[in-house]
Amino acid sequence: WLKLKCCPRPHPKPRLTSRVVLSRMADAAEPTKPQNSYWIWLGENREALMKEAGGGQASKVGKLAGERWKGLDVAAKKPFEDKASKLKQDYEKKLEEFVAAGGVKGKRRAEKKEAKSAKNPGAGARGAKKARKDAREAAGKPKKPQCSYWLYLGENRAAIAQEAGSGGTPAVSKLAGAKWKALSEAEKKPFEDKAAKLKAEYNKAIAAWKEKSPGGEAGEEDEDEDEEDDGEDDE
């Protein structure tokens, strides 16, 4: 009889438990928010727009892109809106899985921002803010209206600057703040009524914009942060 030597059977690979799988998913990177329809369209047409704008300067390309996008009809925008809608659905599904696995929404953004600030505190903050603002304008996103105080300041800036003896931001802001606080409720009411009306119009406009621009929520956290002090930039 011949003795047959059999090869040793390979050891089975250890099966991953659900706890291990969840742990690995939690360690994975948070899903990135998808682009909205405008940015998808811009990505596919950037080279042609740069050529038409006569260069790759961001402000010129952004302005031209915004005009071209607004000029497109519903049918021309539809392929990009459909793609944006699908990307948004995929993102929301991945984000749910990420959070369910123990991931923290927004943690990556916060860590990235903190690391950038620690490396070069204050550098390029205004430039980055302006770039985001230009991008929102190019996408046709409605701008948040001013509050009652800024409406008041806009109508009284010249007189306040004259009284302060300077048109500089610190002097005007300090005096304007003091005067605003000293106004009675009746004196503030016209500005508060106007602010409330502008806010209602904005809420209606932003809701309509979001319906036409799937994925438009991307970057809203930055927008809120930017626009809290928009009036200060106008000083």
Side-chain angles (χ1 to χ4, degrees):
W1 297 92
L2 295 176
K3 292 183 179 181
L4 299 177
K5 292 185 179 180
C6 296
C7 297
R9 295 178 63 185
H11 294 288
K13 293 182 179 180
R15 296 179 63 183
L16 297 177
T17 64
S18 58
R19 181 178 296 179
V20 173
V21 173
L22 290 176
S23 177
R24 290 187 179 182
M25 287 179 67
D27 292 337
E30 178 183 349
T32 303
K33 284 187 175 182
Q35 294 179 318
N36 62 24
S37 52
Y38 165 75
W39 286 108
I40 294 172
W41 170 83
L42 178 58
E44 294 186 10
N45 295 274
R46 187 182 297 276
E47 289 187 11
L49 289 166
M50 287 172 60
K51 186 176 181 180
E52 186 177 348
Q57 189 174 352
S59 58
K60 289 183 178 180
V61 175
K63 184 178 180 180
L64 179 60
E67 293 173 354
R68 292 286 180 272
W69 175 254
K70 289 178 183 178
L72 295 179
D73 58 26
V74 177
K77 288 182 178 181
K78 192 174 187 303
F80 304 101
E81 291 173 344
D82 289 346
K83 186 174 182 179
S85 180
K86 185 178 184 303
L87 289 173
K88 184 182 177 183
Q89 291 174 3
D90 293 342
Y91 161 75
E92 290 175 344
K93 183 179 179 181
K94 290 178 181 178
L95 185 61
E96 285 181 6
E97 294 174 350
F98 172 75
V99 174
V104 180
K105 183 180 177 182
K107 182 180 178 182
R108 183 184 62 178
R109 177 192 291 269
E111 290 177 344
K112 188 176 180 181
K113 185 176 181 180
E114 185 178 346
K116 187 176 181 181
S117 298
K119 184 178 180 181
N120 199 0
R126 285 193 173 274
K129 175 181 172 180
K130 185 178 184 303
R132 290 193 296 268
K133 188 174 181 179
D134 290 344
R136 291 194 299 269
E137 290 177 355
K141 187 171 187 178
K143 182 181 178 181
K144 285 189 175 181
Q146 293 181 319
C147 65
S148 53
Y149 166 75
W150 288 110
L151 293 173
Y152 158 79
L153 178 57
E155 291 187 15
N156 296 277
R157 185 187 298 274
I160 292 174
Q162 186 176 359
E163 185 177 345
S166 170
T169 299
V172 173
S173 296
K174 185 177 180 179
L175 181 58
K179 283 183 168 294
W180 174 254
K181 290 179 182 178
L183 293 180
S184 64
E185 291 185 6
E187 290 173 319
K188 288 181 178 181
K189 193 174 186 303
F191 303 102
E192 292 173 343
D193 288 346
K194 186 176 181 180
K197 183 181 178 182
L198 290 173
K199 185 177 180 180
E201 292 173 351
Y202 165 78
N203 289 338
K204 185 177 179 181
I206 197 68
W209 180 83
K210 285 181 179 179
E211 287 182 4
K212 294 179 180 179
S213 304
E217 296 88 344
E220 279 192 41
E221 294 162 7
D222 290 335
E223 177 188 358
D224 292 339
E225 183 178 308
D226 291 345
E227 293 190 347
E228 283 178 359
D229 59 349
D230 266 355
E232 295 177 11
D233 292 342
D234 297 336
E235 287 289 336

